[in-house]
Amino acid sequence: MKFNTVIVRFGGEIGIKGAWTRKTYEKLLLRNVKNTLKHHNVPYENIIYKRGRIYVKTMEASKAASTLTKVFGVSSTSPAVETISAMESIIDKSLELADETLTNGSSFAVRCRRTGKHPYSSMDVCRIVGKQILTKFKNRNINVNLKNPDVTVNIEVRDEKAYVFKETFEGVDGFPLGSQPKIVALLSGGMDSAVACWLVMKRGCPVIPLHFDVTPFTDKRTIQKAQDVTRALFEWAVGFPRKLYIVPHGENLRIFQEEAPKKFTCILCKRLMYRIAERIAEKERAEGIVTGESIGEQASQTLQNLKVLNEAIVNYPIHRPILGFNKTETEEIAEKIGVLEIATRKSMGCKAAPKKPATKAKLEVVKEVERKLPIERMVEESFRAARIVEI
Ligand code: ATP
Ligand code: MG
């Protein structure tokens, strides 16, 4: 059966917004859907927006349906065949689908949803279509199983149209990208920051990834990972700027190593990263900074240390979407979003990290250490040395 349409369903949270917000979000989603189809070379004849859904008319419905699960704000998609809502047409298309999908001995169910005015109820549709299928394919030993069928014939009746389909692909829900302002993301190339980044994207924030290149304290594989992770994340951001900031940070680390107590290296390094990120956020008119820190995951991420890190900047909030995640929970998302393999690729860890890092740094002590260092100059020079790579 040739599917000619994709039903694109919107996330529930969009539907409960007030009229004006909902309209804005839906428009944005429509634009993101179009850009994504174009980017993946999926041809379509038309896109119709109706009552909180999008219908994409395309002869490549399966490809379009799976591609569009990567658009934030989409809750699910189904390749479907569109017909008119007359009962005979529904029966015709349903029989066609059943013919293709029911093999000998398989069980099936018919499910129907309906909105609009029709001379039948959705229960009627299920009953009538079910009966027709049983009669027509009697010789295939098929049976009805409403709980756990091998094949489901889905019918959605919407006003004068009806859609028949067998599959639904899950989307990731959330809000359309661009419905919130930009955010600067500290992106290491590792798994945690990649997942953190994706989570804020899911809520509508376009990200500006920022990577600190700590060569010679690491090797070239790290920067490559950061670029590859960024590319994978941008698969979720079709139509948005594709730039990655790279800031040379090796010289800064060398200064910390040589001129400050070793146990503070990581804390000083992070505080400096935040300060530079703040400058880039200002320049980009972003509204926040996101990191992949989670409580206790690294020595620098104890609650006491996070407090010391936070104090480094005041003009921008630091958002830590995976603060309470276990490693396995982060991994699960990393896998789902296509960054796990890249982010766990082998690379040289940061060689500037001390053997015995401070786990309960005191703010006053850290500030005292910083007073003896040319922090402002370091921020300024690093900011000026930042380069942008198009991904
Ligand atoms: P990740 O898995 O993201 O590498 P991590 O568990 O290794 O995180 P840290 O190395 O302590 O933890 O880094 C904490 C956070 O600081 C990272 O999630 C990231 O947001 C930021 N960060 C660390 N290193 C860099 C870097 N080289 N460039 C940009 N951001 C970084
Ligand atoms: Mg890391």
Side-chain angles (χ1 to χ4, degrees):
M1 166 174 228
K2 196 73 195 147
F3 294 122
N4 56 11
T5 302
V6 181
I7 306 172
V8 182
R9 304 175 188 88
F10 293 179
E13 280 181 82
I14 299 175
I16 56 172
K17 292 277 177 212
W20 188 86
T21 310
R22 201 176 67 222
K23 216 169 174 179
T24 314
Y25 281 21
E26 287 173 348
K27 257 194 196 155
L28 209 50
L29 188 49
L30 189 64
R31 193 192 73 189
N32 294 348
V33 160
K34 284 180 181 167
N35 283 337
T36 303
L37 291 174
K38 219 182 273 165
H39 175 78
H40 289 280
N41 297 318
V42 183
Y44 60 88
E45 291 102 66
N46 203 358
I47 295 192
I48 298 154
Y49 165 71
K50 206 172 170 195
R51 284 208 218 171
R53 279 188 182 185
I54 292 173
Y55 298 92
V56 182
K57 300 272 169 203
T58 170
M59 292 320 280
E60 292 199 31
S62 293
K63 186 177 173 192
S66 67
T67 303
L68 293 178
T69 57
K70 275 196 157 186
V71 176
F72 296 115
V74 169
S75 71
S76 68
T77 63
S78 298
V81 63
E82 185 190 271
T83 181
I84 54 168
S85 60
M87 182 62 90
E88 312 81 71
S89 309
I90 295 175
I91 294 171
D92 261 11
K93 295 297 173 196
S94 303
L95 287 175
E96 215 180 299
L97 182 65
D99 188 19
E100 278 177 21
T101 46
L102 287 170
T103 52
N104 203 28
S106 36
S107 60
F108 78 98
V110 180
R111 308 207 200 281
C112 176
R113 288 170 161 224
R114 191 185 64 82
T115 49
K117 275 206 161 72
H118 305 97
Y120 49 74
S121 68
S122 48
M123 283 297 284
D124 293 338
V125 176
C126 293
R127 201 170 32 80
I128 295 168
V129 172
K131 212 164 159 195
Q132 291 270 348
I133 293 175
L134 275 175
T135 316
K136 180 143 189 197
F137 304 108
K138 206 168 48 234
N139 56 356
R140 294 191 198 173
N141 298 315
I142 54 172
N143 60 83
V144 174
N145 180 345
L146 295 181
K147 261 202 172 149
N148 191 19
D150 298 323
V151 172
T152 306
V153 176
N154 297 283
I155 300 158
E156 286 195 14
V157 188
R158 291 217 143 196
D159 301 319
E160 73 284 4
K161 298 267 171 57
Y163 301 86
V164 178
F165 59 94
K166 61 174 181 192
E167 278 179 300
T168 295
F169 303 126
E170 290 286 309
V172 295
D173 247 306
F175 291 128
L177 202 63
S179 58
Q180 291 285 327
K182 291 184 277 187
I183 188 163
V184 169
L186 296 195
L187 195 110
S188 65
M191 178 166 73
D192 298 333
S193 43
V195 169
C197 210
W198 184 84
L199 286 170
V200 293
M201 290 164 77
K202 178 160 68 79
R203 300 303 287 180
C205 309
V207 293
I208 302 157
L210 161 60
H211 177 71
F212 289 90
D213 176 9
V214 298
T215 346
F217 295 97
T218 186
D219 58 13
K220 284 282 162 222
R221 286 177 293 181
T222 306
I223 200 166
Q224 189 58 50
K225 268 172 71 172
Q227 295 190 36
D228 293 347
V229 163
T230 303
R231 190 169 300 109
L233 286 172
F234 282 164
E235 280 294 296
W236 296 84
V238 173
F240 286 80
R242 300 178 64 89
K243 57 187 182 187
L244 163 69
Y245 275 87
I246 298 181
V247 168
H249 197 49
E251 176 58 15
N252 295 334
L253 270 184
R254 189 195 59 75
I255 294 173
F256 290 147
Q257 273 224 317
E258 288 175 8
E259 295 177 29
K262 289 247 182 335
K263 64 176 179 178
F264 291 136
T265 303
C266 293
I267 289 174
L268 295 169
C269 164
K270 284 278 152 57
R271 279 170 65 92
L272 194 67
M273 283 186 186
Y274 284 13
R275 290 178 173 120
I276 299 162
E278 182 174 58
R279 295 292 301 276
I280 290 175
E282 271 165 18
K283 178 186 160 210
E284 286 283 347
R285 295 174 194 277
E287 293 290 350
I289 294 165
V290 61
T291 75
E293 283 141 346
S294 76
I295 298 176
E297 212 257 333
Q298 302 274 356
S300 59
Q301 297 170 22
T302 60
L303 210 55
Q304 294 94 329
N305 284 355
L306 290 177
K307 175 170 170 261
V308 174
L309 295 186
N310 266 22
E311 195 272 346
I313 58 171
V314 292
N315 292 331
Y316 287 84
I318 303 286
H319 298 291
R320 302 185 174 100
I322 69 159
L323 192 73
F325 278 23
N326 297 328
K327 201 73 197 174
T328 48
E329 292 170 307
T330 309
E331 251 168 33
E332 231 170 77
I333 298 181
E335 163 96 73
K336 181 172 93 171
I337 67 175
V339 299
L340 184 67
E341 184 269 324
I342 306 167
T344 51
R345 233 159 47 195
K346 250 194 142 28
S347 62
M348 191 168 117
C350 178
K351 290 290 169 253
K355 282 210 172 61
K356 282 196 177 159
T359 53
K360 294 176 190 164
K362 292 257 180 306
L363 180 60
E364 275 320 310
V365 180
V366 173
K367 282 170 88 168
E368 189 51 44
V369 170
E370 281 181 347
R371 271 193 276 276
K372 296 178 194 133
L373 295 165
I375 298 291
E376 262 174 46
R377 199 197 75 213
M378 291 161 91
V379 172
E380 194 54 42
E381 285 180 0
S382 303
F383 174 66
R384 270 199 258 126
R387 64 188 172 96
I388 295 173
V389 178
E390 285 293 324
I391 296 293

